[in-house]
Amino acid sequence: MTIKIFITGGTIDNLDYNSEEKSPKIHKSLIPTLLKQSRISVGYATEILMLKDSRLVTDKDRNMILQKCKKCRENKIIITHGTMTMPLTAKFLGKNNLKKTIVLTGSAIPGNKEKSDALFNLGFALAAVQTLPKGVYVSMNGKIFLWNNAEKNLKTGFFEKER
């Protein structure tokens, strides 16, 4: 089994810039290094789709993510994504009813910073994608949410079920 990991940017990848900037100057994804550091023992393949602050992810970007998910041969997919618009992307993918297990994850603190939650969230997403049934999920801070029931609480910084 190989897990496909699509990289889109966000805080997990240390991307956070103001909306006047269209993209970071020069940036190399942290995800391959985090995976190596985590000593992951399952097969995986990474692919960078974009490196964006999630506040700048558009529906065109979401459609490209959807097409990549549809076309990849793997049935288990992780998408690293910024937390600000992660629920929007999860809903976009979930409405398309793909016959794959797709888990979106990210972090509140960049993966290259002290006390980051990136390693935990990435590892948790890897476990989740292997055990969950087909569907789209958000996996953050030890919790799993269905695609249509996840919301980021901007006051606490944690994800919670929509009411």
Side-chain angles (χ1 to χ4, degrees):
M1 170 182 54
T2 301
I3 298 167
K4 186 67 169 193
I5 302 173
F6 288 126
I7 298 165
T8 69
T11 300
I12 193 168
D13 233 336
N14 199 20
L15 287 171
D16 184 14
Y17 46 95
N18 67 48
S19 59
E20 290 155 18
E21 297 178 69
K22 296 296 180 201
S23 62
K25 307 278 185 275
I26 297 174
H27 187 81
K28 182 179 175 187
S29 176
L30 302 173
I31 302 304
T33 301
L34 293 174
L35 290 164
K36 188 180 255 186
Q37 182 180 345
S38 298
R39 299 175 36 109
I40 304 302
S41 62
V42 297
Y44 65 87
T46 61
E47 182 177 342
I48 298 173
L49 302 185
M50 66 190 81
L51 291 171
K52 284 187 168 186
D53 179 313
S54 73
R55 293 171 288 188
L56 302 178
V57 172
T58 66
D59 281 345
K60 182 178 178 183
D61 295 326
R62 289 182 184 88
N63 190 57
M64 185 264 292
I65 295 168
L66 171 66
Q67 296 310 314
K68 287 287 191 171
C69 289
K70 282 182 177 180
K71 291 177 183 175
C72 80
R73 62 181 169 79
E74 295 86 358
N75 289 321
K76 301 203 178 282
I77 301 167
I78 293 172
I79 301 169
T80 61
H81 197 288
T83 60
M84 291 301 289
T85 63
M86 187 185 295
L88 293 174
T89 301
K91 286 176 184 172
F92 188 93
L93 297 172
K95 289 177 182 177
N96 282 276
N97 200 23
L98 300 178
K99 303 297 181 212
K100 298 182 179 202
T101 305
I102 301 171
V103 176
L104 287 85
T105 195
S107 67
I109 301 169
N112 60 354
K113 302 295 183 195
E114 190 176 325
K115 298 183 181 180
S116 174
D117 52 338
L119 282 175
F120 176 82
N121 288 341
L122 195 53
F124 190 73
L126 279 156
V129 80
Q130 294 177 76
T131 57
L132 290 168
K134 289 175 176 64
V136 177
Y137 305 89
V138 169
S139 167
M140 288 291 297
N141 306 108
K143 292 184 178 181
I144 299 168
F145 305 94
L146 288 171
W147 63 270
N148 60 352
N149 202 24
E151 179 180 85
K152 182 177 179 179
N153 182 322
L154 297 178
K155 289 181 183 172
T156 67
F158 288 99
F159 277 74
E160 45 191 46
K161 291 182 181 181
E162 282 187 320
R163 308 263 186 257

